[in-house]
Amino acid sequence: MKIEIINLPKITDPRGNLTVAEQMENVPFEIKRAYWVYDVPAGESRGGHAHKRLKQFVVALSGSFHVTLDNGYERETVLLNHPYQGLLIETNTWRTLDDFSSGAVCLVLASELYEEDDYIYDYEDFLKYVGCSR
């Protein structure tokens, strides 16, 4: 499974650093939606689903968390803890976010608007969708 961490421009300045994400430049899709997850209680996880059409670019704006990606055949976990790096999550990938540090903020840039029928919430249904028989 290909894990793609994309380094975003980091402009350092004594007054504070600045990072920018631009669609079709360092974010490899048109951004149609942005949302952020924060105040995740200790021990809780987010995600737990896959998308049929939507791609995501996930950034730890503050703090850290783990993202586990699963394509039905392989599973890998990535630590996100730099606000100048983003994780590209392709379609047909089960994702779970957990181990949020105190004060963590997760930014998600999405390639599509919200569509309920794009989500696969049941892992067994996901395995069938990607053609994986375990």
Side-chain angles (χ1 to χ4, degrees):
M1 180 166 49
K2 181 182 173 192
I3 302 293
E4 189 170 359
I5 299 281
I6 297 173
N7 286 313
L8 300 168
K10 180 181 177 185
I11 301 150
T12 57
D13 187 297
R15 301 167 299 165
N17 298 333
L18 182 138
T19 292
V20 62
E22 295 179 318
Q23 67 181 7
M24 305 310 295
E25 292 294 324
N26 40 42
V27 177
F29 53 77
E30 182 181 341
I31 299 166
K32 293 190 179 175
R33 183 166 57 117
Y35 62 92
W36 42 102
V37 178
Y38 55 96
D39 292 342
V40 178
E44 291 297 324
S45 65
R46 299 291 309 212
H49 62 270
H51 291 280
K52 301 171 190 171
R53 294 175 298 280
L54 180 136
K55 296 180 183 182
Q56 293 177 317
F57 189 77
V58 179
V59 180
L61 290 182
S62 180
S64 65
F65 51 89
H66 286 95
V67 181
T68 301
L69 302 177
D70 181 336
N71 65 7
Y73 301 91
E74 300 172 275
R75 182 177 290 165
E76 288 194 43
T77 300
V78 176
L79 172 66
L80 292 182
N81 61 352
H82 298 295
Y84 54 85
Q85 291 182 327
L87 173 65
L88 179 63
I89 304 178
E90 293 287 348
T91 59
N92 304 327
T93 304
W94 189 268
R95 81 280 327 268
T96 305
L97 290 73
D98 56 18
D99 297 328
F100 285 82
S101 68
S102 177
V105 178
C106 169
L107 170 69
V108 180
L109 303 177
S111 66
E112 305 297 328
L113 298 175
Y114 175 79
E115 293 180 35
E116 188 173 343
D117 68 340
D118 184 55
Y119 286 74
I120 304 171
Y121 287 112
D122 182 81
Y123 187 71
E124 293 302 318
D125 290 344
F126 165 71
L127 292 177
K128 290 177 192 167
Y129 184 80
V130 296
C132 179
S133 59
R134 288 190 173 175

